[in-house]
Amino acid sequence: MDKDDVLNEWTEEENKVDKKSAKKLVWRTRISITFTVIRTLLAILLLYIVYMIPTSIYYDTSGKADEFNRVVTTMVELRYPGIAVDLHETWHAAEITPFLTQKTTLPIYRQVGEWKVAVGEVTASKSILFGKINYSVDLDNKYIDEGEMGFALSSYALHDKPATPPSNPNPSPLFDQLEKIDDGHVAQVSFSTRERMEPEQLRKIISKYDVEIHQMPIYAGELKAFNVGMSSSGSLTWVDGLLLRPFIEYDDKNRWSSKNHALTRQEDLAHAVDQFYQDLEWLIEHGDYYDKETDEKRLSYLKENELAVYGATVTGPIREIERLKEEEMFYEFNLGGIEVWNWE
């Protein structure tokens, strides 16, 4: 064997040793990095648990979760015609994120006859440290371009008793639809009144019919004492107003303890009117939301003027709903929903 062959053999052996060493080094490095990543992730997870467990416990035990649910429930039910929040879900729905943002998702329903028909949910969030409440109401509409229920302010209702009353509006096309439906159904409808009136006055008119009252829109100085969001068509104006709802009682920890079913009885309506002022004052004091200044103006107006309403949301048998067209005071009917018979 000559010197060149020996040298080549040594070189090959040395390269094999270098490759093996390099592979071992690569695998050691990979394993080391893997364990470092795992340790880091475990440390982050441990810190997250150590941080979130006491934070969540404090959030739940301090009453912040129940207060946030109450704020969201009150905001929605005072503003959205025809729907209500399922209060049974407000006991445990709110939560706190690692970035100290409150979040909640609550189911909403329509009262159609004796049915509580699930129609969507409200989602809300708010940073504890800063910012205002952001919320959205998502309805499970059945039809394309399905409109929302609402209430119209006629020029007669908007102003203080003009000398000439408005002409009798045309019957709503809704009743042509109801005529085609048999007796074994119940419906939810909203309607407006041609003038403002005291809640008890409207309740007495509606009491002639076998229906339940669940909401009444309140006139709180909109477009007269101050401006709000609105749309108009002819002599009619739709405003984003507040609603009178059935009484809800909360305990000192902001958890609901009792609830009236409707505004149909005189004592329940009177109770709801008293509670409305308390709810609005509480919402202004504890809520940080975009319409807060407007609600302050509404509350100021209502304290200086008698509470007046200009419509209602009701539910009952189809034939009783049809009879409502007998009242010349009622117009601008909107259908909320129809279900099979469930009525006592």
Side-chain angles (χ1 to χ4, degrees):
M1 180 179 294
D2 57 24
K3 293 182 180 180
D4 291 338
D5 293 337
V6 173
L7 181 60
N8 290 334
E9 186 175 343
W10 285 353
T11 303
E12 289 177 2
E13 290 295 329
E14 194 172 313
N15 288 338
K16 290 180 180 178
V17 172
D18 290 342
K19 287 180 179 179
K20 289 182 180 179
S21 299
K23 288 182 179 179
K24 289 181 180 179
L25 181 61
V26 169
W27 277 107
R28 286 174 184 168
T29 303
R30 289 177 178 176
I31 292 172
S32 177
I33 292 174
T34 301
F35 278 109
T36 299
V37 171
I38 292 173
R39 286 195 297 267
T40 302
L41 292 176
L42 289 175
I44 293 173
L45 177 61
L46 179 61
L47 288 174
Y48 175 80
I49 293 173
V50 171
Y51 168 69
M52 281 306 299
I53 288 179
T55 300
S56 298
I57 291 175
Y58 170 76
Y59 181 70
D60 292 335
T61 57
S62 66
K64 293 293 185 182
D66 294 314
E67 180 181 295
F68 187 59
N69 279 331
R70 180 179 175 182
V71 168
V72 174
T73 298
T74 304
M75 288 176 59
V76 170
E77 293 195 343
L78 291 186
R79 284 166 167 77
Y80 283 83
I83 64 174
V85 175
D86 182 4
L87 294 178
H88 293 88
E89 294 296 325
T90 62
W91 290 91
H92 53 76
E95 60 181 9
I96 188 76
T97 71
F99 299 102
L100 299 182
T101 297
Q102 302 176 90
K103 290 187 175 182
T104 190
T105 299
L106 301 170
I108 53 181
Y109 66 91
R110 293 189 189 278
Q111 187 73 43
V112 185
E114 297 296 330
W115 299 108
K116 288 178 170 58
V117 183
V119 293
E121 62 185 19
V122 53
T123 303
S125 64
K126 179 190 179 299
S127 171
I128 288 181
L129 301 178
F130 54 86
K132 298 182 183 295
I133 295 175
N134 291 298
Y135 73 98
S136 62
V137 175
D138 301 313
L139 299 178
D140 300 328
N141 292 331
K142 293 182 179 180
Y143 309 105
I144 301 298
D145 297 328
E146 182 175 343
E148 296 182 0
M149 301 177 73
F151 301 94
L153 273 169
S154 68
S155 58
Y156 187 69
L158 182 60
H159 299 91
D160 293 329
K161 306 290 185 182
T164 304
S167 59
N168 188 25
N170 295 325
S172 170
L174 166 66
F175 295 109
D176 293 332
Q177 297 174 306
L178 297 184
E179 287 179 358
K180 308 296 190 300
I181 300 174
D182 62 51
D183 294 351
H185 289 80
V186 289
Q188 180 201 55
V189 300
S190 66
F191 58 84
S192 303
T193 59
R194 295 166 56 202
E195 65 180 54
R196 303 198 307 265
M197 62 185 70
E198 295 179 358
E200 176 58 19
Q201 181 182 355
L202 179 56
R203 188 202 68 82
K204 287 181 178 179
I205 298 174
I206 300 175
S207 66
K208 297 182 293 185
Y209 308 94
D210 183 21
V211 298
E212 281 191 345
I213 310 168
H214 289 282
Q215 293 172 333
M216 293 182 180
I218 295 172
Y219 180 74
E222 293 90 352
L223 306 184
K224 183 179 179 184
F226 57 92
N227 291 322
V228 296
M230 56 158 286
S231 61
S232 60
S233 175
S235 61
L236 301 181
T237 302
W238 286 266
V239 300
D240 298 326
L242 298 180
L243 299 167
L244 183 63
R245 60 173 181 167
F247 168 81
I248 301 175
E249 185 175 16
Y250 290 88
D251 62 19
D252 56 358
K253 295 183 179 179
N254 293 309
R255 294 178 298 186
W256 74 277
S257 55
S258 64
K259 182 181 188 300
N260 284 346
H261 182 63
L263 305 173
T264 311
R265 299 189 307 171
Q266 181 179 4
E267 56 270 29
D268 292 341
L269 178 59
H271 207 177
V273 170
D274 292 338
Q275 186 64 31
F276 171 81
Y277 288 97
Q278 299 176 39
D279 286 342
L280 189 54
E281 289 175 346
W282 185 91
L283 181 62
I284 292 171
E285 180 181 354
H286 294 86
D288 192 3
Y289 55 102
Y290 289 98
D291 292 332
K292 185 173 182 176
E293 292 183 3
T294 300
D295 283 352
E296 290 174 346
K297 295 176 181 178
R298 286 170 167 144
L299 182 59
S300 176
Y301 177 89
L302 291 171
K303 286 183 176 180
E304 296 176 0
N305 301 270
E306 291 186 358
L307 189 148
V309 298
Y310 56 97
T313 299
V314 302
T315 187
I318 287 288
R319 301 288 80 88
E320 289 297 307
I321 296 294
E322 280 188 303
R323 291 183 59 212
L324 294 174
K325 66 181 179 182
E326 299 171 1
E327 298 293 335
E328 293 186 0
M329 185 65 67
F330 300 166
Y331 75 121
E332 283 299 309
F333 286 82
N334 291 287
L335 179 65
I338 296 176
E339 299 292 333
V340 297
W341 182 270
N342 188 0
W343 193 256
E344 294 181 1

